[in-house]
């Protein structure tokens, strides 16, 4: 007798799907898919077409904002060999399934809402992001100085310093685009 036979789920669950192997076999028989994620690949191009993301990208003002920031196709072209030297292509190839089924839906599905926000965010001077980052680091310093609890210090440090690092990096990237 299996050790899971004493679990309460045994009484309420069809034996065809009880246990991981049985469940995978059942899903495969129903869907025809044999995958660790038990799913078909995310239909990336189909969703881009359905959401009309290319049109929405043009309408959002993102491209004109990038152009106003000084980003040109020749700059992008110069970055491609650097991406290859850093091994980014191999990284992308090695993680294709994760990118297609994990990252792509998170980027594509909210894109119609996020594109106008991204256009506005790219138009903001990099120094503002750096100032916000400095403010977050200062806030964490204030919390550490005024609070006697190490737990509170630790719980606030992670999100505040992480957000500060992201904002500072974003500010540097935007300033770098202007100077390049």
């Amino acid at each position: 007798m299996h050790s899971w036979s004493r679990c309460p789920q045994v009484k309420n669950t069809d034996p065809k799907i009880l246990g991981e192997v049985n469940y995978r076999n059942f899903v495969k028989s129903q869907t025809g898919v044999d995958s660790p994620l038990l799913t078909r690949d995310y239909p990336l191009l189909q969703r881009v077409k359905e959401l009309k993301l290319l049109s929405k990208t043009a309408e959002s003002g993102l491209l004109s904002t990038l152009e106003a920031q000084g980003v040109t196709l020749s700059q992008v072209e110069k970055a491609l060999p650097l991406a290859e030297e850093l091994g980014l292509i191999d990284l992308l190839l090695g993680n294709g399934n994760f990118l297609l089924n994990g990252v792509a839906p998170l980027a594509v599905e909210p894109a119609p809402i996020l594109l106008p926000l991204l256009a506005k965010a790219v138009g903001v001077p990099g120094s503002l992001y750096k100032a916000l980052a400095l403010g977050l680091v200062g806030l964490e310093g204030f919390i550490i100085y005024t609070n006697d609890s190490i737990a509170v210090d630790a719980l606030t440090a992670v999100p505040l310093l992480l957000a500060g690092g992201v904002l500072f990096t974003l500010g540097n990237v935007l300033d770098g685009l202007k100077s390049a």
Side-chain angles (χ1 to χ4, degrees), residues 11-79:
K11 297 175 189 170
N12 302 332
T13 307
D14 188 343
K16 290 189 295 189
I17 64 169
L18 196 58
E20 182 179 354
V21 173
N22 291 343
Y23 178 70
R24 286 180 183 272
N25 291 335
F26 174 76
V27 171
K28 183 179 178 184
S29 72
Q30 298 297 311
T31 63
V33 176
D34 187 18
S35 165
L37 297 176
L38 298 174
T39 181
R40 289 186 169 82
D41 284 341
Y42 177 71
L44 178 63
L45 296 177
Q46 179 182 343
R47 290 300 294 152
V48 167
K49 180 183 175 186
E50 289 170 358
L51 295 172
K52 299 180 181 174
L53 288 185
L54 298 180
S55 300
K56 288 182 181 179
T57 300
E59 293 167 3
S60 71
L62 177 62
L63 300 175
S64 57
T65 304
L66 286 170
E67 188 177 342
Q69 292 284 356
V71 177
T72 62
L73 287 177
S74 62
Q75 286 177 320
V76 174
E77 182 182 16
K78 290 176 189 174

Side-chain angles (χ1 to χ4, degrees), residues 83-95:
E84 194 171 354
E85 285 177 28
L86 293 174
L88 295 180
I89 305 299
D90 293 333
L91 180 69
L92 293 174
L93 288 173
N95 295 298

Side-chain angles (χ1 to χ4, degrees), residues 90-108:
D90 293 333
L91 180 69
L92 293 174
L93 288 173
N95 295 298
N97 285 336
F98 171 72
L99 293 172
L100 180 63
N101 294 314
V103 176
L106 296 175
V108 171

Side-chain angles (χ1 to χ4, degrees), residues 124-134 167-168 170-172 174-175 178:
V124 173
S127 57
L128 179 63
Y129 290 108
K130 291 179 186 178
L132 287 171
L134 185 61
L167 289 172
F168 190 79
L170 181 60
N172 280 334
L174 290 175
D175 284 346
K178 287 182 181 177

